[in-house]
Amino acid sequence: MSNHLTKNIIFSVLLTASLVGCADTPENQEKETVPTNVAEQINAEEFESVNDVYDPLEGFNRVMWDLNYDYLDPYLARPISLAYVDYTPNPVRLGIANFFANLDEPASMVNSFIMQNPEDAVAHFNRFWINTVFGIAGLIDIASAADIPPPSSRAFGDSLGYYGVGNGPYFMVPFYGPVTLREGVGDAADGLYLPLSLLTFWQSLGKWAFEGMEDRAALVKQESLLEDSPDPYVFTRDAYIQHKNFRATGGETPVDEAENEEQFDDYLDEIDDY
Protein backbone atom coordinates (compact mmCIF):
# COMPACT_ATOMS: atom_id res chain seq x y z
CA MET A 1 0.00 0.00 0.00
CA SER A 2 1.24 3.48 -0.75
CA ASN A 3 2.91 5.30 2.10
CA HIS A 4 2.07 8.79 0.84
CA LEU A 5 -1.71 8.54 0.61
CA THR A 6 -2.12 11.60 2.81
CA LYS A 7 -0.59 13.93 0.27
CA ASN A 8 -4.02 14.33 -1.25
CA ILE A 9 -5.99 17.54 -0.82
CA ILE A 10 -9.34 16.91 0.85
CA PHE A 11 -10.30 13.41 1.91
CA SER A 12 -8.63 11.08 4.39
CA VAL A 13 -10.77 8.30 5.82
CA LEU A 14 -9.51 6.83 9.07
CA LEU A 15 -10.15 3.63 10.94
CA THR A 16 -8.41 4.46 14.20
CA ALA A 17 -10.84 6.37 16.43
CA SER A 18 -9.94 4.45 19.59
CA LEU A 19 -7.50 7.12 20.77
CA VAL A 20 -10.14 9.82 20.68
CA GLY A 21 -12.50 8.61 23.36
CA CYS A 22 -9.92 8.09 26.08
CA ALA A 23 -7.97 11.31 25.59
CA ASP A 24 -8.62 14.39 27.70
CA THR A 25 -7.40 17.87 26.87
CA PRO A 26 -8.06 20.88 29.12
CA GLU A 27 -10.54 23.26 27.57
CA ASN A 28 -8.24 26.26 27.76
CA GLN A 29 -5.09 24.43 26.72
CA GLU A 30 -3.48 26.09 23.69
CA LYS A 31 -3.14 23.52 20.97
CA GLU A 32 0.32 22.84 19.63
CA THR A 33 0.74 22.97 15.88
CA VAL A 34 1.60 19.60 14.42
CA PRO A 35 3.44 19.61 11.09
CA THR A 36 1.33 18.80 8.05
CA ASN A 37 2.19 18.39 4.42
CA VAL A 38 -0.46 19.54 2.01
CA ALA A 39 -2.56 21.91 4.04
CA GLU A 40 0.24 24.26 5.03
CA GLN A 41 1.01 24.99 1.38
CA ILE A 42 -2.53 25.68 0.20
CA ASN A 43 -3.68 29.26 -0.18
CA ALA A 44 -6.01 31.23 -2.37
CA GLU A 45 -3.25 32.21 -4.78
CA GLU A 46 -2.76 28.59 -5.78
CA PHE A 47 -6.37 28.10 -6.82
CA GLU A 48 -6.09 29.21 -10.42
CA SER A 49 -7.08 27.32 -13.51
CA VAL A 50 -4.39 25.05 -14.93
CA ASN A 51 -4.13 23.91 -18.52
CA ASP A 52 -2.35 20.57 -18.16
CA VAL A 53 -5.17 18.65 -16.44
CA TYR A 54 -5.93 15.32 -18.11
CA ASP A 55 -9.28 14.14 -16.79
CA PRO A 56 -10.55 11.46 -19.20
CA LEU A 57 -12.89 9.95 -16.58
CA GLU A 58 -14.50 13.22 -15.47
CA GLY A 59 -18.01 11.78 -15.41
CA PHE A 60 -17.00 8.92 -13.12
CA ASN A 61 -14.75 11.20 -11.09
CA ARG A 62 -17.59 13.61 -10.43
CA VAL A 63 -19.74 10.78 -9.08
CA MET A 64 -16.90 9.77 -6.76
CA TRP A 65 -16.46 13.41 -5.79
CA ASP A 66 -20.11 13.65 -4.77
CA LEU A 67 -19.76 10.48 -2.72
CA ASN A 68 -16.69 11.82 -0.94
CA TYR A 69 -17.80 15.43 -0.58
CA ASP A 70 -21.45 14.90 0.33
CA TYR A 71 -21.19 11.78 2.49
CA LEU A 72 -17.82 10.33 3.41
CA ASP A 73 -16.16 13.60 4.37
CA PRO A 74 -18.89 15.37 6.39
CA TYR A 75 -20.11 12.23 8.16
CA LEU A 76 -16.84 10.38 8.68
CA ALA A 77 -13.49 11.96 7.84
CA ARG A 78 -14.13 15.50 9.08
CA PRO A 79 -15.76 14.77 12.49
CA ILE A 80 -13.35 11.98 13.40
CA SER A 81 -10.34 14.05 12.36
CA LEU A 82 -11.48 17.03 14.41
CA ALA A 83 -12.21 14.78 17.39
CA TYR A 84 -8.71 13.34 17.17
CA VAL A 85 -7.11 16.79 17.03
CA ASP A 86 -9.33 18.26 19.76
CA TYR A 87 -9.15 15.46 22.30
CA THR A 88 -5.81 13.73 21.81
CA PRO A 89 -3.12 15.29 24.04
CA ASN A 90 -0.72 17.39 22.04
CA PRO A 91 2.40 15.47 23.13
CA VAL A 92 0.80 12.25 21.89
CA ARG A 93 -0.19 13.81 18.57
CA LEU A 94 3.22 15.36 18.09
CA GLY A 95 5.01 12.11 18.92
CA ILE A 96 2.88 10.17 16.42
CA ALA A 97 3.40 12.81 13.72
CA ASN A 98 7.16 12.83 14.35
CA PHE A 99 7.39 9.05 14.21
CA PHE A 100 5.62 8.73 10.88
CA ALA A 101 7.41 11.71 9.37
CA ASN A 102 10.71 10.09 10.31
CA LEU A 103 9.81 7.01 8.27
CA ASP A 104 9.62 9.20 5.15
CA GLU A 105 13.07 10.78 5.57
CA PRO A 106 15.05 8.14 3.57
CA ALA A 107 12.68 8.38 0.59
CA SER A 108 12.89 12.18 0.73
CA MET A 109 16.67 11.91 0.88
CA VAL A 110 16.85 9.78 -2.27
CA ASN A 111 14.41 11.97 -4.15
CA SER A 112 16.22 15.15 -3.12
CA PHE A 113 19.38 13.71 -4.70
CA ILE A 114 17.43 12.82 -7.83
CA MET A 115 16.09 16.38 -7.96
CA GLN A 116 19.67 17.70 -7.70
CA ASN A 117 19.30 19.11 -4.21
CA PRO A 118 22.13 17.51 -2.22
CA GLU A 119 21.79 20.00 0.64
CA ASP A 120 18.24 18.85 1.41
CA ALA A 121 19.30 15.22 0.89
CA VAL A 122 21.99 15.54 3.56
CA ALA A 123 19.51 17.23 5.90
CA HIS A 124 17.03 14.36 5.45
CA PHE A 125 19.80 11.83 6.11
CA ASN A 126 20.99 13.59 9.25
CA ARG A 127 17.47 14.04 10.55
CA PHE A 128 16.71 10.35 10.06
CA TRP A 129 19.69 8.90 11.91
CA ILE A 130 19.65 11.52 14.67
CA ASN A 131 15.95 11.16 15.39
CA THR A 132 16.04 7.37 15.05
CA VAL A 133 18.99 6.94 17.42
CA PHE A 134 18.45 9.76 19.90
CA GLY A 135 14.76 10.53 19.43
CA ILE A 136 13.32 7.14 20.40
CA ALA A 137 12.79 5.91 16.82
CA GLY A 138 11.64 9.35 15.76
CA LEU A 139 9.04 10.07 18.44
CA ILE A 140 11.07 13.12 19.50
CA ASP A 141 12.39 15.56 16.92
CA ILE A 142 15.91 15.90 18.28
CA ALA A 143 17.20 17.02 14.88
CA SER A 144 15.16 20.22 14.90
CA ALA A 145 16.43 20.98 18.39
CA ALA A 146 19.94 20.49 16.96
CA ASP A 147 19.19 23.18 14.34
CA ILE A 148 18.44 20.77 11.48
CA PRO A 149 14.95 21.85 10.45
CA PRO A 150 12.96 19.55 8.15
CA PRO A 151 13.26 20.41 4.45
CA SER A 152 10.24 19.86 2.24
CA SER A 153 9.40 16.19 1.82
CA ARG A 154 10.05 14.76 -1.63
CA ALA A 155 8.38 11.80 -3.33
CA PHE A 156 9.36 9.91 -6.44
CA GLY A 157 6.34 11.36 -8.19
CA ASP A 158 7.94 14.78 -7.64
CA SER A 159 11.19 13.48 -9.10
CA LEU A 160 9.41 12.23 -12.21
CA GLY A 161 7.74 15.59 -12.63
CA TYR A 162 11.06 17.36 -12.13
CA TYR A 163 12.37 15.61 -15.26
CA GLY A 164 9.32 16.43 -17.34
CA VAL A 165 7.06 13.42 -16.80
CA GLY A 166 3.45 14.61 -16.90
CA ASN A 167 0.86 13.99 -14.21
CA GLY A 168 -1.05 11.58 -16.42
CA PRO A 169 -4.75 10.81 -15.95
CA TYR A 170 -6.50 12.30 -12.94
CA PHE A 171 -8.66 10.08 -10.76
CA MET A 172 -11.03 10.74 -7.86
CA VAL A 173 -11.10 7.61 -5.74
CA PRO A 174 -13.66 6.92 -2.97
CA PHE A 175 -12.18 6.78 0.54
CA TYR A 176 -8.97 8.13 -1.00
CA GLY A 177 -9.40 11.41 -2.81
CA PRO A 178 -7.56 12.79 -5.83
CA VAL A 179 -4.59 11.03 -7.39
CA THR A 180 -2.73 11.01 -10.69
CA LEU A 181 -0.98 8.18 -12.47
CA ARG A 182 2.42 9.80 -11.83
CA GLU A 183 1.76 10.04 -8.12
CA GLY A 184 0.57 6.45 -7.91
CA VAL A 185 3.71 5.14 -9.63
CA GLY A 186 5.86 7.37 -7.46
CA ASP A 187 4.24 6.21 -4.25
CA ALA A 188 4.80 2.58 -5.22
CA ALA A 189 8.49 3.31 -5.82
CA ASP A 190 8.86 5.16 -2.50
CA GLY A 191 7.36 2.17 -0.72
CA LEU A 192 10.40 0.11 -1.73
CA TYR A 193 12.77 2.16 0.45
CA LEU A 194 13.64 1.18 4.00
CA PRO A 195 12.00 1.53 6.48
CA LEU A 196 8.76 2.01 4.54
CA SER A 197 9.25 -1.36 2.85
CA LEU A 198 9.15 -3.06 6.27
CA LEU A 199 5.62 -1.87 7.05
CA THR A 200 2.83 -4.38 6.81
CA PHE A 201 -0.49 -3.52 5.18
CA TRP A 202 -2.07 -2.64 8.53
CA GLN A 203 0.89 -0.57 9.63
CA SER A 204 0.75 1.36 6.36
CA LEU A 205 -2.98 1.82 6.87
CA GLY A 206 -2.35 3.20 10.35
CA LYS A 207 0.24 5.64 9.01
CA TRP A 208 -2.21 6.81 6.35
CA ALA A 209 -4.98 7.22 8.93
CA PHE A 210 -3.04 9.23 11.49
CA GLU A 211 -1.43 11.49 8.90
CA GLY A 212 -4.78 11.84 7.18
CA MET A 213 -6.46 13.05 10.38
CA GLU A 214 -3.88 15.79 10.78
CA ASP A 215 -4.13 16.87 7.15
CA ARG A 216 -7.94 16.84 7.12
CA ALA A 217 -8.19 18.87 10.32
CA ALA A 218 -5.71 21.41 8.97
CA LEU A 219 -7.87 21.90 5.89
CA VAL A 220 -10.84 23.18 7.89
CA LYS A 221 -9.64 26.76 7.53
CA GLN A 222 -9.69 26.36 3.72
CA GLU A 223 -13.25 25.04 3.50
CA SER A 224 -14.73 28.46 2.74
CA LEU A 225 -12.69 28.62 -0.47
CA LEU A 226 -14.26 25.38 -1.62
CA GLU A 227 -17.78 26.36 -0.59
CA ASP A 228 -17.56 29.68 -2.44
CA SER A 229 -16.38 28.03 -5.65
CA PRO A 230 -18.93 27.72 -8.47
CA ASP A 231 -17.60 24.23 -9.26
CA PRO A 232 -15.94 22.60 -6.24
CA TYR A 233 -14.88 19.58 -8.29
CA VAL A 234 -12.89 21.64 -10.80
CA PHE A 235 -11.63 23.86 -8.00
CA THR A 236 -10.19 20.90 -6.08
CA ARG A 237 -8.86 19.18 -9.20
CA ASP A 238 -7.01 22.26 -10.46
CA ALA A 239 -5.64 23.09 -7.01
CA TYR A 240 -4.42 19.52 -6.61
CA ILE A 241 -2.67 19.48 -10.00
CA GLN A 242 -1.13 22.87 -9.37
CA HIS A 243 0.13 21.69 -6.00
CA LYS A 244 1.73 18.64 -7.63
CA ASN A 245 3.32 20.82 -10.31
CA PHE A 246 4.70 23.09 -7.60
CA ARG A 247 6.27 20.14 -5.81
CA ALA A 248 7.76 18.87 -9.07
CA THR A 249 9.65 22.14 -9.51
CA GLY A 250 11.25 21.70 -6.10
CA GLY A 251 9.14 24.54 -4.76
CA GLU A 252 10.56 27.09 -7.17
CA THR A 253 8.48 29.61 -9.09
CA PRO A 254 8.89 29.23 -12.86
CA VAL A 255 11.04 31.91 -14.49
CA ASP A 256 8.22 33.38 -16.55
CA GLU A 257 6.02 33.75 -13.46
CA ALA A 258 8.87 35.41 -11.58
CA GLU A 259 9.34 37.86 -14.43
CA ASN A 260 5.63 38.65 -14.48
CA GLU A 261 5.70 39.30 -10.74
CA GLU A 262 8.67 41.64 -11.18
CA GLN A 263 6.89 43.54 -13.96
CA PHE A 264 3.79 43.81 -11.81
CA ASP A 265 5.86 45.22 -8.94
CA ASP A 266 7.36 47.79 -11.32
CA TYR A 267 3.85 48.74 -12.44
CA LEU A 268 2.76 49.27 -8.85
CA ASP A 269 5.82 51.44 -8.24
CA GLU A 270 4.86 53.62 -11.20
CA ILE A 271 1.36 54.03 -9.79
CA ASP A 272 2.79 55.06 -6.43
CA ASP A 273 4.74 57.86 -8.15
CA TYR A 274 1.53 59.62 -9.21
Side-chain angles (χ1 to χ4, degrees), residues 57-104:
L57 300 176
E58 182 174 347
F60 172 81
N61 287 337
R62 283 185 178 274
V63 173
M64 295 302 101
W65 163 265
D66 291 340
L67 174 64
N68 286 335
Y69 185 65
D70 294 334
Y71 300 101
L72 298 181
D73 184 66
Y75 295 111
L76 185 61
R78 189 182 191 276
I80 297 179
S81 298
L82 291 180
Y84 171 74
V85 169
D86 289 341
Y87 295 106
T88 302
N90 289 324
V92 175
R93 283 179 55 213
L94 187 60
I96 292 173
N98 288 340
F99 175 77
F100 288 129
N102 192 55
L103 299 180
D104 291 325

Side-chain angles (χ1 to χ4, degrees), residues 50 232 240:
V50 293
Y240 174 80

Side-chain angles (χ1 to χ4, degrees), residues 26-258:
E27 293 183 1
N28 296 326
Q29 181 177 349
E30 183 176 348
K31 292 181 175 58
E32 184 175 353
T33 301
V34 177
T36 60
N37 295 316
V38 174
E40 291 178 350
Q41 301 180 33
I42 298 176
N43 55 58
E45 294 179 355
E46 287 186 86
F47 296 137
E48 301 173 354
S49 179
V50 293
N51 297 320
D52 58 344
V53 174
Y54 180 44
D55 191 0
L57 300 176
E58 182 174 347
F60 172 81
N61 287 337
R62 283 185 178 274
V63 173
M64 295 302 101
W65 163 265
D66 291 340
L67 174 64
N68 286 335
Y69 185 65
D70 294 334
Y71 300 101
L72 298 181
D73 184 66
Y75 295 111
L76 185 61
R78 189 182 191 276
I80 297 179
S81 298
L82 291 180
Y84 171 74
V85 169
D86 289 341
Y87 295 106
T88 302
N90 289 324
V92 175
R93 283 179 55 213
L94 187 60
I96 292 173
N98 288 340
F99 175 77
F100 288 129
N102 192 55
L103 299 180
D104 291 325
E105 296 284 9
S108 290
M109 177 193 70
V110 173
N111 288 303
S112 293
F113 271 124
I114 294 174
M115 297 175 72
Q116 303 182 54
N117 194 334
E119 183 177 346
D120 281 2
V122 171
H124 284 299
F125 171 76
N126 287 332
R127 286 182 55 80
F128 178 70
W129 78 263
I130 290 174
N131 286 337
T132 299
V133 174
F134 300 107
I136 314 177
L139 290 172
I140 304 173
D141 188 359
I142 299 296
S144 292
D147 199 25
I148 308 177
S152 297
S153 61
R154 291 285 174 252
F156 189 62
D158 305 329
S159 299
L160 293 174
Y162 182 81
Y163 287 97
V165 178
N167 286 293
Y170 173 85
F171 305 99
M172 177 63 66
V173 183
F175 298 101
Y176 184 103
V179 66
T180 62
L181 179 61
R182 186 181 75 192
E183 182 187 7
V185 172
D187 288 348
D190 288 333
L192 301 177
Y193 301 135
L194 292 171
L196 294 178
S197 61
L198 299 178
L199 298 181
T200 65
F201 171 84
W202 295 108
Q203 290 168 340
S204 295
L205 183 63
K207 181 178 186 296
W208 168 62
F210 279 107
E211 291 181 335
M213 286 187 283
E214 294 289 354
D215 281 345
R216 181 60 188 91
L219 284 167
V220 169
K221 65 182 71 173
Q222 307 292 347
E223 288 178 351
S224 61
L225 295 173
L226 191 64
E227 294 168 356
D228 294 338
S229 172
D231 190 339
Y233 171 79
V234 172
F235 183 87
T236 299
R237 183 193 65 189
D238 289 358
Y240 174 80
I241 295 298
Q242 197 166 63
H243 172 71
K244 292 301 175 183
N245 291 343
F246 177 81
R247 287 177 58 93
T249 65
E252 298 179 359
T253 302
V255 175
D256 56 343
E257 291 185 14

